[in-house]
Amino acid sequence: MPLFHTFFKTLVGKEMTIELKNNLLIHGTLISVDQFLNIKLDKISVPDPDKYPQFLSIKNCFVRGSVIRYIHLPPSEVDPTSLQEATRKEAMQSKMQQ
Amino acid sequence: MSKKQTPSDFLKQITGKPVLVKLNSGADYRGILMCLDGYMNIALEQTEEYMNGELRNKYGDTLIRGNNVLYISTQKKKDVVLFE
Amino acid sequence: MATSEEQPPTTQPFTLEDPLDLIRLSLDERIYVKLRNNRELRGRLHAYDQHLNMILGDVEEVRTQIEVDEETMEEIFKTQKRNFPMLYVRGDGIILMSPPEKPTY
């Protein structure tokens, strides 16, 4: 079932940019992810620190999964073939449960 | 024929028929209902998208995410005569 | 596979049983996704789940803003584009998805 949870666990230690539903972009290194796809980032930065001075003093943060719109992923760390395989497998499993 | 009809009886009856799907946003989608599930996720074919009554887009097949759906109605008007 | 015996077979060669089959059949295809806030995405579908969370590759996002000319009352569509090599999209923002053209069943 937890395809995306499993996927994001493989990206721990990698850099990515989280785009929130309020349009804020947070760049950082993935520390951890849970089943709700809540995310902890370390070494964070925002593109416009003057606009968000509160981020100057923050080094890491916890982002609630539900406020995330996109996550810009590092393409070199993503294997499309294995993702598609995992997706097909999970789709099969959820079909069996129906 | 049927005395009491449940909502799911209705939904079973209208698959394969032209329907109108209205979303919470006010947008309308007209198309042939391929199928739907308990979340009201809806698959349509020959879909037309209307905003404020104006045709905005056409899609071959579409999957509409159920949480956006306000209602599904059988489509009486229009010139889509396929099942007569 | 259980077959329903009450109903005669339909004339259509193929009928979907589950709306999510439409997205399953679009894996590794370029799909169109319509999101809230007048956002549209086009990209190759690499992964999805039952919430319609997705991972798309080679993505183009188009944001459309409608401005109304006060004098002529004309609607002016302004679009902004962005590109992403690899993008996770949270499913709760999705309104609809569509395969590029009729998939070959």
Side-chain angles (χ1 to χ4, degrees):
Chain A
M1 284 295 270
L3 186 146
F4 285 91
H5 183 211
T6 309
F7 166 72
F8 279 111
K9 280 199 283 191
T10 69
L11 295 181
V12 167
K14 304 290 190 270
E15 285 185 35
M16 58 191 68
T17 303
I18 297 187
E19 180 169 335
L20 305 187
K21 286 176 179 155
N22 66 0
N23 298 325
L24 180 65
L25 294 162
I26 308 172
H27 182 85
T29 305
L30 184 65
I31 302 174
S32 65
V33 58
D34 68 13
Q35 55 164 328
F36 305 108
L37 307 182
N38 300 320
I39 277 177
K40 272 191 206 166
L41 286 184
D42 196 13
K43 300 178 202 154
I44 62 164
S45 60
V46 295
D48 193 357
D50 296 336
K51 207 170 144 193
Y52 306 98
Q54 65 271 37
F55 280 93
L56 287 169
S57 57
I58 300 176
K59 289 190 180 63
N60 56 66
C61 68
F62 173 93
V63 182
R64 190 176 150 97
S66 61
V67 304
I68 294 169
R69 175 186 295 133
Y70 302 142
I71 299 176
H72 312 180
L73 302 166
S76 57
E77 304 298 336
V78 180
D79 175 15
T81 314
S82 67
L83 269 179
Q84 287 167 19
E85 258 172 44
T87 303
R88 288 207 169 87
K89 209 170 156 187
E90 191 164 277
M92 284 275 275
Q93 281 171 356
S94 62
K95 271 231 156 132
M96 303 295 262
Q97 285 168 12
Q98 278 178 10
Chain B
M1 269 209 299
S2 60
K3 288 170 193 168
K4 283 183 186 170
Q5 205 196 31
T6 64
S8 63
D9 289 338
F10 171 74
L11 294 174
K12 270 181 214 153
Q13 280 177 15
I14 64 169
T15 54
K17 298 210 165 66
V19 293
L20 165 68
V21 178
K22 194 169 203 72
L23 303 192
N24 290 320
S25 64
D28 285 332
Y29 291 88
R30 288 177 184 278
I32 314 291
L33 180 65
M34 298 164 92
C35 61
L36 46 81
D37 66 15
Y39 299 103
M40 291 279 258
N41 293 320
I42 296 173
L44 295 179
E45 52 187 338
Q46 302 168 34
T47 313
E48 296 174 333
E49 178 181 67
Y50 293 85
M51 307 267 201
N52 310 315
E54 270 176 51
L55 182 63
R56 281 283 158 88
N57 251 319
K58 287 189 183 188
Y59 309 99
D61 298 337
T62 53
L63 168 64
I64 299 174
R65 197 176 190 268
N67 67 311
N68 301 291
V69 175
L70 188 62
Y71 65 69
I72 309 172
S73 135
T74 48
Q75 179 181 296
K76 285 275 161 61
K77 45 185 169 177
K78 304 295 283 187
D79 47 353
V80 189
V81 186
L82 289 170
F83 297 90
E84 301 262 322
Chain C
M1 274 279 169
T3 51
S4 63
E5 285 165 21
E6 306 99 61
Q7 289 181 335
T10 53
T11 49
Q12 282 172 300
F14 183 89
T15 45
L16 288 185
E17 292 174 357
D18 180 355
L20 263 53
D21 285 346
L22 207 60
I23 183 165
R24 185 172 56 86
L25 293 164
S26 304
L27 268 173
D28 204 23
E29 304 277 349
R30 282 192 79 79
I31 62 164
Y32 166 85
V33 181
K34 190 182 182 70
L35 297 162
R36 287 160 186 251
N37 309 112
N38 301 306
R39 286 170 204 267
E40 297 168 287
L41 301 174
R42 283 178 182 81
R44 187 169 296 278
L45 181 66
H46 295 314
Y48 74 89
D49 67 9
Q50 68 273 35
H51 306 289
L52 299 198
N53 296 321
M54 293 179 188
I55 291 171
L56 299 174
D58 291 319
V59 189
E60 182 184 68
E61 182 204 55
V62 179
R63 261 189 301 164
T64 308
Q65 284 167 320
I66 306 172
E67 290 177 17
V68 180
D69 188 310
E70 302 224 342
E71 288 174 22
T72 62
M73 289 303 284
E74 255 183 287
E75 286 183 340
I76 302 156
F77 291 85
K78 291 197 173 172
T79 60
Q80 289 167 290
K81 290 186 183 177
R82 288 193 296 172
N83 288 280
F84 310 97
M86 196 62 75
L87 190 69
Y88 161 80
V89 183
R90 191 162 164 104
D92 58 4
I94 292 174
I95 296 174
L96 72 82
M97 68 74 59
S98 176
E101 59 242 17
K102 268 216 176 288
T104 46
Y105 294 129

